Amino acid sequence: MKSVLSLIREDREFSASVRAALTEAKKPSPLPISVNGLAQGASAAYITEAARELVKELSAPIIILASSESERDKIAATLTNETDLTTVVYKKRDFVFHNISASHDNERERLSVLLSVCSGECDAIVTTPDAALQTVLPVGMLTDLVTKLEVGAVISPEALCEKLVTLGYASVDSVESAGQFAKRGGIVDFLTSADEDPVRIEFFGDEIDRMVRFDIITQRSIERADAVTLSPAKEVMIRPDLSSALKA
């Protein structure tokens, strides 16, 4: 693959198409550019090298639309293996129209991708047209929902639990997966989609006294944390000022 990547950069048509794409991308109303006549191997090489060049020149993340989910995964794997670009896969949202307890892992994964784009932590997003066209939370609303918790911050355990419910976290007896939280007296556990290990917050009154990451199985502390970022667990949430009206 590396030999193909180096060869395609020597092609004049490749350089011309990338320059054209850069020119269009910088216009207020850019027009699409069509590149034809590439075999399967050359197509993968073109996408890989063009993505690398566009990210470098634009200093911004790019979106790559694949025709299918299998092609999406192949492109993402190639970018991850052959470049130093931070690449994420953005999947389409699943709709459930019957009354069952459905997993929200897909939603949390989508939100994680959106947050990485907002924070500038990714270079390339590989997705499909149907996923890209789905409605998402506005950027300002999404970033406003992200909360940073630090040792010494003043917030009561009850207020934190209310915040977690607002963000779509489910109250459980013991945290087992992302999107869950548990409260025991002055201790609150939760696991965000961005973390591998859950966080345990110990309160002294209405002040965060101590925070640690712990193992889900053994419940033993792994390391102390001075700050953690609390992000939404669901894409669809009810505003606190509307929840009481819905219950009435």
Side-chain angles (χ1 to χ4, degrees), residues 20 32 34 41-42 44 73 89 106 120 128 130-132 137-138 146 153 156 173 181 196 221 237 241:
S34 177
D73 294 339
V89 171
N106 195 21
T128 53
D130 52 352
L137 289 170
V146 177
S156 68
D173 293 331
F181 79 94
E196 293 184 2
S221 299
M237 289 164 285
D241 57 327

Side-chain angles (χ1 to χ4, degrees), residues 77-98:
T78 300
L79 289 176
T80 300
N81 296 331
E82 303 294 341
T83 73
D84 57 354
L85 300 178
T86 302
T87 305
V88 293
V89 171
Y90 187 65
K91 301 178 181 179
K92 68 178 180 179
R93 180 168 61 245
D94 295 326
F95 292 98
V96 178
F97 296 102
H98 33 279

Side-chain angles (χ1 to χ4, degrees), residues 21 41 50 68 105 136-137 153 159 223:
S68 65
D105 290 345
V136 297
L137 289 170
E223 61 179 0

Side-chain angles (χ1 to χ4, degrees), residues 56-70:
K56 182 179 73 173
E57 295 296 329
L58 296 173
S59 299
I62 63 170
I63 297 177
I64 300 173
L65 294 179
S67 60
S68 65
E69 293 182 359
S70 59

Side-chain angles (χ1 to χ4, degrees), residues 74-130:
K74 287 179 182 178
I75 293 173
T78 300
L79 289 176
T80 300
N81 296 331
E82 303 294 341
T83 73
D84 57 354
L85 300 178
T86 302
T87 305
V88 293
V89 171
Y90 187 65
K91 301 178 181 179
K92 68 178 180 179
R93 180 168 61 245
D94 295 326
F95 292 98
V96 178
F97 296 102
H98 33 279
N99 188 23
I100 62 171
S101 179
S103 170
H104 294 279
D105 290 345
N106 195 21
E107 282 188 72
R108 287 188 281 270
E109 190 174 340
R110 283 167 51 89
L111 284 167
S112 179
V113 171
L114 293 174
L115 288 169
S116 69
V117 174
C118 293
S119 60
E121 296 176 355
C122 72
D123 299 313
I125 306 99
V126 190
T127 186
T128 53
D130 52 352

